Amino acid sequence: MKSPLLTGAYEARSVIASAQRCVNLYPEANPQDSEFPTTYYPTSGLRKLATAPTIGFRGMYTSSDNALYCAVGDSLYSVSEKWEFTRLGTLQTSSGPVSMRDNSLSLVVVDGSANGYQIDLEKKTFSGIGDAAFYGSNRVSVIDDFMIFNQPGTRQFYVSGALAVTFDPLDIASKNGAPDKTVATAVVSRRIWIFGEKTTEVWYNAGAADFAFTRDPGVFIEFGCVSAASIATTDTSVYWLSPDGIVFRSSEMAALRISTHAIEEEIRTYARIDDAEAYAYIENGHTFYVLNFPTADKTWSFDLATGQWHERMWLDAEGHEHRHRSACVAHFNGKTLVGDWETGDLYEMTPDATDDAGAPILHVRSWPALSDQKKNIFLSRFIADMQVGEIPVDQPEPMARLRWSDDRGRSWGNAISRGMGNRGEFKKIVQFNRLGKSKERVFELAWSASVKTALNGGYIAAAEGQ
């Protein structure tokens, strides 16, 4: 019988509901006449382009004049099309997320402290923002040539002059729908989302003479944001993480819950979520929201095209799993770029790369539990329907590993391995035989070879017994 894969990662609160992992794989729907409804493709690998002089990427940004800027450690750099780093200035902080935006004349950098920095885009000169009416910010946004900032630790947000990095102490307003403090701002479809600790408001440019912006009285969202760095915008949506561990996406001026009960239960187990960091990007028709939890050492990704979640991770030299290497994203020179949170490495993130800058990528997919009214099932064969035979020249045959659980995922047996085909063996069958009996079997397939592949699902030969 065929055993298709229809969901993303879903490890429920109780293993009797579901124990499915989906690691470094994402589904794509197939045409209706396909044998399997979905195919799972590997997430993009990394190609190293350069290394910054300092370590720890904190932010990346492509300006309106198509120049790339990177905050790494305590330094701000411009990066050329040949991936050469030029140091522009020093930041007063050396860790934590950095936000950058420009108004076509100047680029502004904020890091959550009282400090701010600006770059003249024409002269490429770096300086601090010394205006007395600049109060720092967790995040900077731009609308109609105005730059928008939140004032940390208060209910207030404020704006710069139009096409300027100047500040009038009267160009400030308070989030007034509820008394919680502001966390950050974001601009989507010419609307300003003012995120508070417990609630969110939407403002717009009304063109008033005293203060240009006013609150939309018809929009009030009873969910706040736990981390300014969890906010990411793409297309016409903004994504964020709430203090309750729920992930939301904006939809027609409302908050649409996109996290599942299983993802929320996973997040609930983390010791800390207020350090969450996120970015969003589009690849091959998929919009991905990538959410990192530094303290928990975990990365989760939501795919808007399917509404499914998957894990992303990398393996260290000892085979231990860690959060994905990417801390931030920018699109520059025709490439999707990410910066390494631990090192100073700058990567291209691309589906054409089958490893993480030389390190293998672990792919894992679990199947739904196989059961027949708690009767014994004798399992004689499992076949993984995979794309095979695509290995590079002179590379040994890669291996796929199958393990299983007979207690719904509480414990697992040792994995057994089978070849995924040598170069050109496109008809190779990845088959596992004599798999014993079980009343309820969960299969899990894994591979970490640097090869081009994909997974449709499985075929399982089973018979009832006593």
Side-chain angles (χ1 to χ4, degrees), residues 169-238:
L170 298 179
D171 283 338
I172 192 167
S174 291
K175 177 181 175 296
N176 54 36
D180 52 316
K181 297 175 182 178
T182 62
V183 173
T185 68
V187 171
V188 178
S189 300
R190 299 189 66 251
R191 291 292 189 271
I192 307 170
W193 287 64
I194 311 295
F195 291 96
E197 296 170 330
K198 297 180 180 179
T199 63
T200 300
E201 301 173 7
V202 176
W203 290 55
Y204 66 97
N205 188 351
D210 51 352
F211 186 71
F213 303 94
T214 189
R215 179 182 157 202
D216 187 332
V219 181
F220 187 75
I221 297 168
E222 297 281 359
F223 299 99
C225 179
V226 72
S227 168
S230 74
I231 300 169
T233 60
T234 184
D235 195 15
T236 59
S237 294
V238 57

Side-chain angles (χ1 to χ4, degrees), residues 226-408:
V226 72
S227 168
S230 74
I231 300 169
T233 60
T234 184
D235 195 15
T236 59
S237 294
V238 57
Y239 298 76
W240 74 96
L241 175 68
S242 80
D244 299 321
I246 302 172
V247 184
F248 289 98
R249 177 176 73 88
S250 64
S251 177
E252 298 181 352
M253 298 298 134
L256 176 66
R257 171 179 171 264
I258 60 172
S259 52
T260 62
H261 294 300
I263 295 296
E264 292 159 10
E265 178 64 19
E266 167 74 14
I267 293 173
R268 190 188 65 81
T269 67
Y270 298 162
R272 182 181 178 186
I273 65 172
D274 63 345
D275 61 346
E277 304 173 13
Y279 62 84
Y281 72 103
I282 298 174
E283 177 184 277
N284 294 336
H286 295 260
T287 298
F288 294 110
Y289 171 69
V290 181
L291 182 59
N292 286 310
F293 293 91
T295 299
D297 203 19
K298 286 280 192 177
T299 299
W300 291 92
S301 180
F302 174 77
D303 178 6
L304 182 61
T306 60
Q308 303 289 351
W309 288 83
H310 60 269
E311 294 180 65
R312 296 195 182 188
M313 50 79 71
W314 70 279
L315 292 172
D316 64 20
E318 287 73 41
H320 299 140
E321 299 182 9
H322 300 278
R323 63 182 166 118
H324 196 260
R325 298 220 65 95
S326 58
C328 46
V329 70
H331 301 281
F332 175 71
N333 203 17
K335 301 180 186 296
T336 298
L337 306 179
V338 293
D340 195 303
W341 53 267
E342 184 178 34
T343 72
D345 291 338
L346 174 68
Y347 307 109
E348 177 190 8
M349 186 164 63
T350 170
D352 295 329
T354 56
D355 57 32
D356 281 341
I361 301 174
L362 176 64
H363 307 286
V364 180
R365 190 61 178 92
S366 304
W367 267 256
L370 178 66
S371 178
D372 183 13
Q373 303 177 61
K374 308 302 181 184
K375 299 175 183 177
N376 275 327
I377 301 174
F378 290 88
L379 298 134
S380 59
R381 184 167 63 253
F382 179 96
I383 296 175
D385 187 15
M386 304 180 69
Q387 179 180 349
V388 296
E390 301 280 357
I391 68 172
V393 177
D394 299 326
Q395 182 172 310
E397 182 180 14
M399 306 298 287
R401 302 177 297 278
L402 183 74
R403 67 173 187 167
W404 57 84
S405 170
D406 290 330
D407 53 14
R408 296 187 175 186

Side-chain angles (χ1 to χ4, degrees), residues 9-154:
Y10 202 98
E11 292 190 82
R13 189 186 325 175
S14 172
V15 293
I16 67 171
S18 182
Q20 297 185 60
R21 289 193 78 190
C22 185
V23 181
N24 292 324
L25 294 166
Y26 67 92
E28 190 170 285
N30 292 324
Q32 291 185 351
D33 57 354
S34 299
E35 185 175 12
F36 286 89
T38 57
T39 295
Y40 282 73
Y41 293 94
T43 52
S44 291
L46 303 176
R47 287 177 177 166
K48 183 177 174 180
L49 300 174
T51 301
T54 47
I55 63 172
F57 268 80
R58 304 171 61 191
M60 302 174 67
Y61 178 70
T62 302
S63 62
S64 57
D65 61 351
N66 199 36
L68 178 65
Y69 296 90
C70 297
V72 191
D74 65 352
S75 300
L76 187 70
Y77 299 94
S78 64
V79 183
S80 72
E81 293 184 356
K82 295 182 179 180
W83 316 117
E84 298 166 332
F85 284 76
T86 300
R87 188 173 179 276
L88 300 176
T90 300
L91 309 179
Q92 295 301 305
T93 58
S94 59
S95 62
V98 165
S99 175
M100 294 180 266
R101 289 292 184 274
D102 78 89
N103 61 8
S104 79
L105 298 178
S106 300
L107 180 144
V108 166
V109 182
V110 297
D111 58 8
S113 72
N115 302 300
Y117 315 88
Q118 61 180 322
I119 297 171
D120 185 303
L121 293 181
E122 181 180 0
K123 299 176 181 178
K124 304 299 182 186
T125 54
F126 173 94
S127 61
I129 300 175
D131 197 306
F134 176 80
Y135 310 112
S137 186
N138 297 90
R139 182 182 170 92
V140 55
S141 306
V142 175
I143 180 173
D144 299 340
D145 295 331
F146 297 96
M147 291 189 170
I148 315 296
F149 307 85
N150 72 293
Q151 183 177 358
T154 73

